Amino acid sequence: MVDFLNLRRVNAPHEAALEAAQLRVLRSGWYILGEETAAFEAEFASYCGVRHCIGVANGLDALVLILRGLDIGAGDEVIVPANTFIATWLAVCQVGARPVPVDPRPGTGNLDPDQLQAALTPRTRAVMPVHLYGQPAEMDAISAFAARHKLHVIEDAAQAHGARHRGTRVGGLGVAAGFSFYPGKNLGALGDGGAVTTNDDELAQRIRTLRNYGSRAKYRHEVIGVNSRLDELQAAMLRAKLPALDGENAARARLAAQYMKGLADVAVELPTIAAHCEPVWHLFVVQVDDRARVQQELSARGIGTMIHYPIACHRQPAFAGQTWPALPASERLQDRILSLPISPVHTPQEIDTVIAALAQIAGPRRGTPA
Ligand SMILES: *Cc1c(COP(=O)(O)O)cnc(C)c1O
């Protein structure tokens, strides 16, 4: 029996720190935009190596507020991956702009920079790469393309807290980045939470104002803002867990390496790691033929798996009736991908159980001596 993800187990090592943090907030008598949020913002900015972090209500809002802060809206287009969690697309739609999808590289699942040119129009304002499954996107090629065409690069870093590209952490690789602290993310709260990181002083100030009713001074409203704040309780939870993040990401990396080695001769396609990238393995996603059977047989052995994501965004009912370019790579991926159990608290024995089961179910890799 191997759970896909057990959040009770993930949070158990933090129990004492979380309990102390909860009590501290309770007794402080201050629950919104106080010392905990300010301290977390400083600590997470420092962790990411950026000048500013602004705590917001969730990851979707982080992306929306970046777009609003950059004045991207009606009539504008933003290039996005076709294969991502729907929030990437919804952020673009929420500000009235249009998501323009591109296909991924099949090995990493990350946005293929060679497809950017075909997606470019005079209305394009930004590219929003997602560091999918915890692996940084191909930022060199994306940034070069964006610079050539005067586009903003907005990172969707919701799955990649701590991942590095050329030694630099995500969060500071574009004009701004959106993070999510949804409980299942690598840095997860005990509820919803999110953050924007940026090195742009003016953009940071605009987003700070937007997230709090368009207000910098109480009861003076400069712009039409929203209520999207990271609350004190969640900020305190995140402060309790942040010091352990690098250690937990290292544990994920060890389990990923174990999968890579253990599945080398099995008939599954392993994820590839792009040049200059240090992934944080939010998910470990393989590709298999006959996925329904593989998933069902793993389940029969008590092994939990998931599919991230079974329907590419342009195929979602929410976007029915709109015309999209041909996106064969994402459509092929959506039918082949399978996320295997991984988390900081899975044991090497559990991963061995998954490897042994997959070896039986999928059989040996073709061309491999039996
Ligand atoms: C989780 C996630 C989001 C949204 O985060 P929420 O906090 O759930 O709003 C955005 N983009 C990606 C790629 C995600 O995985």
Side-chain angles (χ1 to χ4, degrees):
M1 166 87 185
V2 183
D3 286 331
F4 177 73
L5 178 67
N6 180 333
L7 288 177
R8 198 184 47 73
R9 251 175 91 191
V10 167
N11 283 321
H14 302 286
E15 192 167 309
L18 291 170
E19 217 171 46
Q22 284 163 19
L23 210 54
R24 192 170 72 229
V25 173
L26 172 67
R27 290 177 179 164
S28 77
W30 193 284
Y31 307 116
I32 298 285
L33 293 185
E35 284 173 15
E36 298 288 343
T37 304
F40 173 71
E41 288 175 341
E43 287 158 11
F44 195 63
S46 158
Y47 177 85
C48 295
V50 296
R51 289 167 62 82
H52 304 281
C53 168
I54 302 115
V56 298
N58 54 64
L60 170 59
D61 279 6
L63 298 172
V64 169
L65 288 166
I66 293 168
L67 291 164
R68 281 200 62 190
L70 294 169
D71 263 324
I72 293 173
D76 295 332
E77 292 179 355
V78 178
I79 300 175
V80 293
N83 60 317
T84 176
F85 180 58
I86 197 71
T88 316
W89 283 48
L90 294 183
V92 177
C93 296
Q94 261 194 36
V95 300
R98 195 181 136 74
V100 176
V102 298
D103 248 348
R105 290 232 205 260
T108 62
N110 268 332
L111 188 154
D112 178 355
D114 295 338
Q115 314 272 334
L116 289 170
Q117 187 66 45
L120 186 74
T121 79
R123 286 184 285 277
T124 311
R125 294 281 315 281
V127 187
M128 196 185 278
V130 177
H131 305 310
L132 197 67
Y133 309 148
Q135 169 157 224
E138 292 178 42
M139 295 307 288
D140 290 343
I142 293 168
S143 303
F145 178 86
R148 255 195 324 277
H149 300 286
K150 301 197 161 41
L151 309 176
H152 296 294
V153 176
I154 301 164
E155 299 171 79
D156 182 339
Q159 301 188 357
H161 319 67
R164 292 176 196 265
H165 178 267
R166 290 191 185 278
T168 303
R169 290 216 203 262
V170 303
L173 303 173
V175 64
F179 285 90
S180 164
F181 305 120
Y182 182 79
K185 301 292 162 90
N186 287 36
L187 180 60
L190 304 191
D192 276 311
V196 173
T197 57
T198 180
N199 286 307
D200 183 321
D201 299 350
E202 263 179 54
L203 179 62
Q205 186 52 253
R206 275 200 294 279
I207 291 171
R208 256 181 213 293
T209 306
L210 280 171
R211 75 159 172 190
N212 189 29
Y213 293 118
S215 171
R216 274 192 290 179
K218 206 166 173 76
Y219 303 132
R220 179 186 152 80
H221 304 279
E222 301 166 26
V223 289
I224 297 174
V226 295
N227 174 357
S228 181
R229 304 172 298 212
L230 179 66
D231 65 67
E232 289 285 281
L233 203 47
Q234 296 308 336
M237 301 299 98
L238 294 167
R239 290 185 74 198
K241 291 179 71 178
L242 180 59
L245 178 57
D246 279 343
E248 293 184 337
N249 282 343
R252 288 173 185 272
R254 285 193 295 276
L255 300 180
Q258 189 183 342
Y259 272 133
M260 292 286 204
K261 190 158 174 272
L263 294 172
D265 297 330
V266 176
V268 305
E269 214 173 303
L270 293 166
T272 56
I273 302 172
H276 318 300
C277 286
E278 276 175 61
V280 290
W281 303 104
H282 173 58
L283 296 168
F284 190 90
V285 178
V286 297
Q287 294 174 52
V288 291
D289 299 327
D290 202 3
R291 180 183 60 197
R293 179 186 67 88
V294 173
Q295 187 171 32
Q296 190 269 316
E297 289 187 23
L298 284 169
S299 168
R301 289 166 162 82
I303 296 169
T305 58
M306 301 264 282
I307 298 165
H308 300 89
Y309 298 89
I311 308 174
C313 294
H314 65 290
R315 290 291 184 202
Q316 292 289 350
F319 295 105
Q322 304 192 33
T323 50
W324 304 106
L327 296 157
S330 35
E331 286 175 23
R332 182 175 147 82
L333 272 183
Q334 77 177 28
D335 297 331
R336 292 178 48 80
I337 47 178
L338 185 66
S339 305
L340 304 181
I342 195 165
S343 78
V345 294
H346 277 95
T347 63
Q349 291 71 29
E350 286 177 304
I351 302 306
D352 273 340
T353 302
V354 180
I355 291 169
L358 258 179
Q360 274 186 2
I361 295 164
R365 189 181 295 278
R366 253 183 305 182
T368 311

